[in-house]
Amino acid sequence: MQFTDLKSQYAALKTSIDARIQRVLDHGQYIMGPEVAEMEAALARLTGAKHCIAVASGTEALLIALMALDIRPGDEVITTPFTFAATAEMIVLAGARPVFVDIEPDTCNLDARLIEAAITPRTRAIMPVSLYGQVADMAEINAVAAAHGLAVIEDAAQSFGASYQGGRSCNLSTFGATSFFPSKPLGCYGDGGALFTSDDQLAQACREIRVHGQSGRYHHTRLGVGGRMDTLQCAVVLGKLERFDWEIERRLALGARYAQLIDARGLPLQRLAVRPDRDCVWAQYTVLIDDRARAQQALQAAGIPTAVHYPKPLHHQPAYAVGQDPAACPHSVRAAQRVLSLPMSADLSEADQDRVVAALAAALATASSPA
C-alpha cells in the first residue's frame, strides 16, 4: 500500500497529462510558456480570486507574499509553531521575526483567540496555516487583522480546494499561498506553487518579484527572486484539473468514512474536529494517539505506511528556538507528540481503507498492552 497513491492518479489521467506535456515539448517554451497563464486563469476561476500568480513552490509563494508586503528586518509576523518549517523559514528569510501562537487542540490550527495578545507595534502580518486540509478561523483572524491594520497570508499548502463559509481556500485574505508538491491535493510532478490575491498592486508586485524584480526585460524595479513555475509543471496541473472536483469529493468522502470506521470500532484515539462552517480536503488524514511510537511500529509490521506531520514544533527546532520559551504553546507540543497520518489520496480504495483501520485497531491494542 502506498501512503499517497500517485500511480493510480496518473493512470487515470495519463492521456491528458501526456498530451499536455508533449505540447510543451513541441512548442519548446519551457519558461513562462502559454500553459502558465492558462493555469493561472483556471485556478483564479476555481478560487474566485482576481489574480493567480504561479511560482516555483509553495515555499517561494510565502516569501514572495512577504516581499510584496514589504516585510522588513525588525518586523514581526504572527504564525503557528505547529507546521512545516517553511512557514517560519520564509518569515526569517524576509528578515522578520516569527511570533508563535498556540493551536486549537481539536483542529491543530492556529487559535485565533490568542492572536490579539501577541500583537505588538512591530507586528506587520498574520500567517495562519490551513493544516491537514481544513481552513483556519479566517473570519476571526481577518477581523483581528483589520482592527490592527495587518495583512493576512493564508498558508494554504495543504488546503487547496477546501471550502470555508461559502468561499474557497486561497481567496479568504490578503494573500493565499499554496503548493503543488506532488502529494498535495492538487500536485504537479516536481515543485510548484501559486499566490492568490484580489489586490491589483500586490499582484503586480508578485509578478515582478518572481522574475528577479523586473517590470520589463532587464528593467528591475524591485528586489526579486528566481521564482517562476516551469511550463511543464503547469501542464501537469492543467491535466490534473480535469478531475479535480471529483478528487475533492472523493477526499471528503474518504475522510468521512475514516471517521465512521474509527468511531464504529471505538478506537482509543482523537480524531481532528472539522468545524461546521467549512470542510477538510484531508491533505493528510491525521489522528492523535498517545503511544504513537508503538502504534506506528505495529502498523509498519502490518504493511501500513504512516507519517508524522509534524514531530517537533518550530519553537523547539534549533533554527527557530533562539529567544523562544520552550514551555510556550503547550497544545502544539502535545500535538507533536501524538499526531499520526494514515494513507490518504483520492484513489485510496475502500478495501485498503478497511485494511488500514483494522490494522490501526490491532496496533492500538498492541500499544495499550503492557510492554
Side-chain angles (χ1 to χ4, degrees):
M1 186 185 305
Q2 298 180 59
F3 185 73
T4 302
D5 188 358
L6 296 177
K7 291 182 179 179
S8 294
Q9 182 191 53
Y10 173 63
L13 293 166
K14 176 177 170 57
T15 300
S16 176
I17 291 175
D18 287 359
R20 286 188 172 275
I21 289 174
Q22 188 60 53
R23 199 170 301 139
V24 176
L25 297 176
D26 289 340
H27 67 55
Q29 298 177 56
Y30 301 114
I31 303 297
M32 300 303 289
E35 286 78 7
V36 178
E38 183 184 355
M39 186 196 78
E40 289 175 336
L43 298 184
R45 287 193 301 269
L46 194 152
T47 61
K50 187 175 181 181
H51 302 282
C52 170
I53 303 97
V55 295
S57 67
T59 302
E60 203 79 19
L62 295 174
L63 179 61
I64 292 173
L66 291 164
M67 293 174 71
L69 292 168
D70 199 26
I71 302 297
R72 298 185 176 190
D75 292 339
E76 294 177 350
V77 178
I78 293 172
T79 192
T80 167
F82 192 61
T83 179
F84 182 59
T87 309
E89 182 180 40
M90 294 303 99
I91 295 170
V92 174
L93 281 176
R97 175 178 177 266
V99 175
F100 295 121
V101 166
D102 208 359
I103 59 172
E104 300 170 330
D106 60 341
T107 69
C108 290
N109 274 335
L110 182 69
D111 191 334
R113 298 168 298 182
L114 304 178
I115 292 174
E116 189 98 38
I119 294 173
T120 75
R122 295 180 296 279
T123 307
R124 290 286 313 283
I126 306 169
M127 190 183 289
V129 177
S130 295
L131 196 67
Y132 303 135
Q134 177 179 196
V135 173
D137 291 331
M138 295 301 291
E140 292 84 351
I141 293 168
N142 286 335
V144 174
H148 293 271
L150 306 176
V152 177
I153 304 168
E154 181 196 6
D155 182 341
Q158 299 180 17
S159 60
F160 192 78
S163 297
Y164 172 86
Q165 295 187 359
R168 301 297 288 269
S169 180
C170 290
N171 186 31
L172 302 169
S173 54
T174 316
F175 274 119
T178 200
S179 167
F180 304 130
F181 189 79
S183 62
K184 302 301 184 188
L186 180 62
C188 58
Y189 289 159
D191 276 318
L195 273 167
F196 297 83
T197 185
S198 291
D199 185 298
D200 294 343
Q201 290 185 326
L202 288 177
Q204 183 59 30
C206 291
R207 291 190 178 101
E208 293 176 8
I209 292 168
R210 75 172 171 184
V211 288
H212 303 282
Q214 296 178 92
S215 59
R217 188 166 176 79
Y218 298 131
H219 184 68
H220 302 266
T221 53
R222 63 181 74 238
L223 183 66
V225 297
R228 299 163 299 203
M229 184 172 172
D230 295 342
T231 308
L232 279 166
Q233 299 300 343
C234 292
V236 172
V237 170
L238 285 166
K240 289 192 175 188
L241 275 176
E242 294 185 7
R243 69 165 203 169
F244 185 61
D245 287 344
W246 174 85
E247 289 198 11
I248 292 299
E249 291 176 5
R250 184 67 179 155
R251 285 178 175 274
L252 296 176
L254 287 167
R257 191 168 187 271
Y258 257 135
Q260 292 167 358
L261 293 171
I262 288 168
D263 290 351
R265 287 178 175 267
L267 299 187
L269 56 78
Q270 178 187 341
R271 290 193 293 104
L272 292 173
V274 178
R275 301 283 185 247
D277 61 349
R278 68 204 74 171
D279 59 25
C280 182
V281 296
W282 299 114
Q284 291 89 28
Y285 191 85
T286 301
V287 296
L288 295 96
I289 297 173
D290 286 335
D291 194 348
R292 181 178 64 201
R294 290 183 65 186
Q296 192 171 24
Q297 185 178 25
L299 284 166
Q300 183 180 9
I304 305 298
T306 60
V308 176
H309 303 102
Y310 299 94
K312 186 183 292 187
L314 297 186
H315 67 307
H316 287 187
Q317 296 281 1
Y320 308 104
V322 176
Q324 302 289 343
D325 178 4
C329 303
H331 293 311
S332 298
V333 175
R334 180 66 174 143
Q337 296 167 345
R338 300 178 67 218
V339 290
L340 183 67
S341 298
L342 306 174
M344 169 58 85
S345 58
D347 293 287
L348 178 68
S349 70
E350 292 186 357
D352 277 347
Q353 192 176 36
D354 290 340
R355 181 182 159 204
V356 170
V357 176
L360 179 61
L364 290 172
T366 299
S368 62
S369 63

